[in-house]
């Protein structure tokens, strides 16, 4: 029953106050900082690269094209594809997507290797994302190269790609466990020869927000090119880390739909935009088609056979559901009391629970109005007590609560049963 | 097929290198700061309060007791329960759990009201968490009280609870949208009369990590009592915010199992401890029984009828799964290359994919050894190419990959078919 998006089957009622939603004064934008890119960032959408490394992912060409087109329509700036060296089909898929004529720039992601770079250029992409491990851990246990060799190869590969006229990014892997001086020296060298972006990657998913802020802010003082960031989710901080990177001056954030990727994935596109729309509402709403988030997530969830997590920002089935009495009461007065995200921005609706032991009479009063009944506040309070008494004994459905309300209303003296009006539009189908 | 924890049904192999796992030098602990409580925090587990506000939650008494006992065995410091004023059964449940004789202290959570406070004391709990909305939004649209009235009532309620010998916490709701001076004045006043803790709550789930750090650090300079923090997950930052609060000097963090709560919930117990074990491994491992996380999550997931999110930290089905060739190669050499969390700490195992188009020959070599076959590196590379060619055409299962390996091995010249040994223990059942 979960993970199916906002369903009609729950015990509650959508509120009718969407139309009157007022964005309150926003304390979440913070003091302005001229290096911050919170209101001026670009998304490198990597569902078709990082996402293909997700355990369940097997994208055939048709699915890849469908996903690429949806992301393009949504408004992402870049779409990153699996290396054309990974397999023959990966190469063919790169070529196919690069030739679709999308507005988004098409990137592919390769090892720092001249052979890989040639194959990438041959695939017809707009830009190439080059990566190499720079931490001691990866230098010893993965490729076995030293920093001198890494720098030399990086310069060669970047020069080659630039020579073909393509955009080129150079990134370290496992940046947060790399030696800071090594890292800055390397980035300074590639910046000097005109790389378009350097990348910071929390490959093992363990960086913390203030650590991210400090590294990116330091790097911002060393290079003049753009700064791309990539955060894994192992310790649950991928959205927060991306946000702090932008505060520090990063320009690009890697995302994937639902965050799919190696292990438990990276910064999720939807959750990231939930974060950003709070801090930069005008930028985000004018640039990205937020109402498409649910359909894009559904497309990818189906392709990799997962359910949207019940607690997903925006699209989790309960993201806009309110239950406790004091919450429900305030939400019905003014949604901004317990919501800053406006569900209408995402083509969704809020939902106020009233059939539980935690219910308050204000939520019940709204339901009474939805049922077209006319009752005084005291009567609403009395019927609320009856609903709570039953909810104390067993889980109750919307029908149970409605029955209690209708029965109570039926037994009222005739004079008080005046039909109310004007609220029928709030009733859940 | 998802959300069922680590399953045996996937196309891969658990790695046999757990025993040799070495925690690498850890750059994630950061410079020490004498105000930081990253290695000295307490958990207030609120599954039975905040969690009961989750849309799907209906806990009967037996389930509440089961959850409370599991959390106590796990080692949480406090267990917070729904207000005894919410309903008659809520009161009875408070009394029942308070009388279990658990090691964890039992709290209940009430409005800032003397009647609520009396009922809480009557329920026999160890401490009372008092809350009132202080933001303009909540003062106008929820309870309609001004700051003078709030302060007066707060002092009365706190004095009363202290007089009974119980622990008392005073928290604002929606702290980040409250006027800073109002907030600090109120907290200073309640600190002065000896409140045990003050609480900061991001009730609408929109605070960002550095904003949290700054507010808590400021508050740390104003009050001498403990500081509790409570973060909602609407913008995906609940774990990161809790971490930054501890860095700033907060002492207590509210969690719930799987993060269940109002809307899409709060800081999840498991994800929070994934974050903390990286930064304070000794403290976390000595205090909490991490191997119980999965069973506690399963217990609560069943009670509220949700699936564990596929991408949940630690227990998501792919949290320790590695797929890309370069990842798999390095992981097989040394797990710390792409993992800082050690799955063994949580009673789980890692899993290296080899049946996909992204596979590398190192992963295949491990599988060859697991099958008890003896092949040279060149032969492993050759059979890897065959596996990738098939995986390019359709999703392949472990059996497909094994068939390719066995067929290839069968066709080798007899002299090369020497049985290998010592690796059978790695084979997935």
């Amino acid at each position: 029953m979960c993970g199916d998006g906002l369903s009609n089957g729950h015990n509650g009622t959508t509120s009718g106050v969407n139309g009157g939603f007022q964005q309150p004064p926003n304390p979440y934008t913070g003091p302005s900082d001229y290096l911050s890119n919170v209101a001026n960032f670009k998304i490198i959408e990597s569902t078709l690269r990082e996402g293909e490394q997700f355990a369940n992912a097997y994208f055939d060409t048709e699915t890849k094209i469908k996903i690429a087109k949806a992301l393009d329509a949504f408004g992402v700036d870049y779409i990153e594809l699996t290396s054309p060296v990974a397999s023959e089909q990966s190469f063919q898929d790169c070529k196919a997507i690069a030739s679709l004529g999308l507005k988004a720039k098409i990137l592919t992601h390769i090892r720092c290797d001249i052979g890989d770079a040639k194959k990438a250029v041959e695939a017809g992409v707009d830009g190439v994302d080059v990566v190499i491990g720079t931490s001691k851990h990866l230098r010893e246990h993965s490729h076995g190269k030293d920093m001198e060799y890494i720098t030399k190869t990086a310069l060669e590969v970047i020069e080659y790609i630039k020579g073909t006229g393509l955009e080129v990014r150079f990134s370290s892997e496992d940046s947060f466990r790399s030696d800071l001086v090594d890292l800055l020296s390397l980035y300074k060298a590639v910046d000097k020869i005109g790389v378009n972006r350097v990348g910071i990657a929390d490959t093992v998913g363990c960086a913390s927000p203030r650590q991210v802020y400090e590294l990116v802010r330091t790097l911002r003082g060393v290079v003049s090119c753009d700064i791309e960031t990539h955060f894994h989710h192992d310790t649950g901080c991928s959205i927060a880390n991306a946000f702090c990177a932008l505060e520090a001056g990063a320009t690009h954030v890697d995302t994937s739909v639902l965050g799919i990727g190696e292990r438990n994935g990276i910064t999720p596109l939807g959750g990231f935009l939930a974060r950003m729309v709070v801090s930069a509402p005008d930028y985000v709403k004018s640039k990205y088609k937020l109402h498409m988030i649910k359909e894009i997530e559904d497309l990818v969830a189906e392709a990799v056979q997962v359910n949207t997590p019940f607690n997903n920002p925006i699209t989790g089935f309960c993201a806009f559901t309110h239950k406790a009495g004091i919450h429900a009461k305030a939400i019905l007065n003014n949604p901004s009391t317990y919501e800053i995200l406006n569900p209408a921005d995402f083509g969704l609706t809020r939902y106020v629970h009233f059939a539980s032991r935690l219910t308050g009479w204000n939520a019940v009063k709204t339901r009474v109005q939805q049922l077209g009944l006319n009752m005084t506040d005291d009567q609403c309070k009395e019927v609320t007590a009856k609903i709570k008494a039953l909810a104390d004994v067993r889980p109750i459905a919307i029908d149970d609560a409605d029955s209690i309300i209708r029965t109570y209303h039926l037994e009222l003296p005739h004079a008080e049963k005046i039909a109310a009006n004007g609220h029928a539009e709030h009733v859940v189908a």
Side-chain angles (χ1 to χ4, degrees), chain A residues 334-395:
Chain A
N334 180 343
S336 75
T337 47
Y338 286 99
E339 268 175 10
I340 293 205
L341 292 171
N342 181 355
D345 285 341
F346 307 97
L348 303 170
T349 49
R350 80 174 54 77
Y351 185 88
V352 180
H353 247 265
F354 70 91
S356 93
R357 70 169 73 151
L358 303 180
T359 205
W361 71 272
N362 288 276
V364 171
K365 183 180 173 186
T366 302
R367 184 61 182 170
V368 165
Q369 293 168 341
Q370 290 176 356
L371 294 174
L373 306 175
N374 196 14
M375 284 164 49
T376 65
D377 285 358
D378 280 346
Q379 290 166 349
C380 288
K381 284 176 188 171
E382 208 176 343
V383 79
T384 301
K386 289 176 190 287
I387 292 172
K388 286 165 77 105
L390 181 60
D392 239 4
V393 183
R394 62 173 176 83

Side-chain angles (χ1 to χ4, degrees), chain A residues 152 163 224 258:
Chain A
K152 186 171 157 290
S224 57
L258 291 170

Side-chain angles (χ1 to χ4, degrees), chain A residues 43-45 48-49 77-84 94 97-98 104-109 125-129 167-169 197 228 252 254:
Chain A
I43 292 176
I44 296 182
E45 226 299 329
L48 297 178
R49 195 283 291 176
D77 306 272
Y78 292 85
I79 294 173
E80 187 182 62
L81 307 176
T82 293
S83 170
C94 259
I97 293 170
K105 288 191 186 173
I106 306 301
L107 304 173
T108 188
H109 181 263
V125 293
D126 301 304
V128 185
D129 285 349
E167 217 178 283
V168 56
R169 178 214 70 184
R197 294 187 301 283
E228 175 179 341
H252 293 65
D254 291 2

Side-chain angles (χ1 to χ4, degrees), chain A residues 124-302:
Chain A
V125 293
D126 301 304
V128 185
D129 285 349
V130 177
V131 67
I132 192 161
T134 47
S135 71
K136 191 163 169 287
H137 302 76
L138 291 179
R139 285 191 281 125
E140 282 177 6
H141 300 287
S142 179
H143 53 67
K145 313 282 166 52
D146 63 19
M147 288 304 295
E148 195 184 346
Y149 178 90
I150 290 173
T151 310
K152 186 171 157 290
T153 314
L155 294 176
E156 260 174 43
V157 171
I158 293 165
E159 292 281 21
Y160 166 74
I161 297 168
K162 275 178 59 73
T164 67
L166 299 190
E167 217 178 283
V168 56
R169 178 214 70 184
F170 177 80
S171 180
S172 58
E173 233 188 319
D174 200 11
S175 315
F176 292 85
R177 290 194 296 177
S178 301
D179 179 87
L180 181 64
V181 179
D182 281 354
L183 205 62
L184 297 178
S185 307
L186 179 59
Y187 285 172
K188 194 173 173 180
V190 299
D191 183 46
K192 207 170 158 187
I193 64 162
V195 78
N196 298 85
R197 294 187 301 283
V198 290
I200 288 287
D202 177 24
T203 308
V204 293
C206 292
S208 63
R210 294 173 61 247
Q211 184 183 22
V212 168
Y213 182 88
E214 283 168 27
L215 180 57
V216 173
R217 189 50 69 111
T218 302
L219 181 59
R220 183 66 293 169
V222 170
V223 298
S224 57
C225 62
D226 283 344
I227 299 174
E228 175 179 341
T229 54
H230 182 90
F231 298 104
H232 276 263
H233 198 58
D234 300 73
T235 58
C237 294
S238 65
I239 294 173
N241 285 344
F243 182 77
C244 287
L246 294 175
E247 285 186 310
T251 52
H252 293 65
V253 167
D254 291 2
T255 68
S256 71
V257 177
L258 291 170
I260 61 169
E262 282 283 352
R263 306 187 306 283
N264 75 336
I266 63 165
T267 308
L269 178 66
F272 172 64
L273 287 174
R275 171 70 264 168
M276 300 317 297
V277 78
V278 168
S279 301
D282 296 341
Y283 181 75
V284 170
K285 289 185 207 174
S286 65
K287 191 166 172 196
Y288 301 107
K289 298 213 167 47
L290 298 182
H291 65 272
M292 288 183 66
I293 287 179
K294 182 155 173 13
E295 77 185 71
I296 293 177
E297 287 187 353
D298 288 349
L299 170 65
V300 171
E302 195 188 323

Side-chain angles (χ1 to χ4, degrees), chain A residues 13-33:
Chain A
T13 153
T14 55
S15 124
V17 280
N18 276 331
F21 188 90
Q22 284 281 329
Q23 194 73 21
N26 186 343
Y28 297 112
T29 50
S32 68
D33 170 346

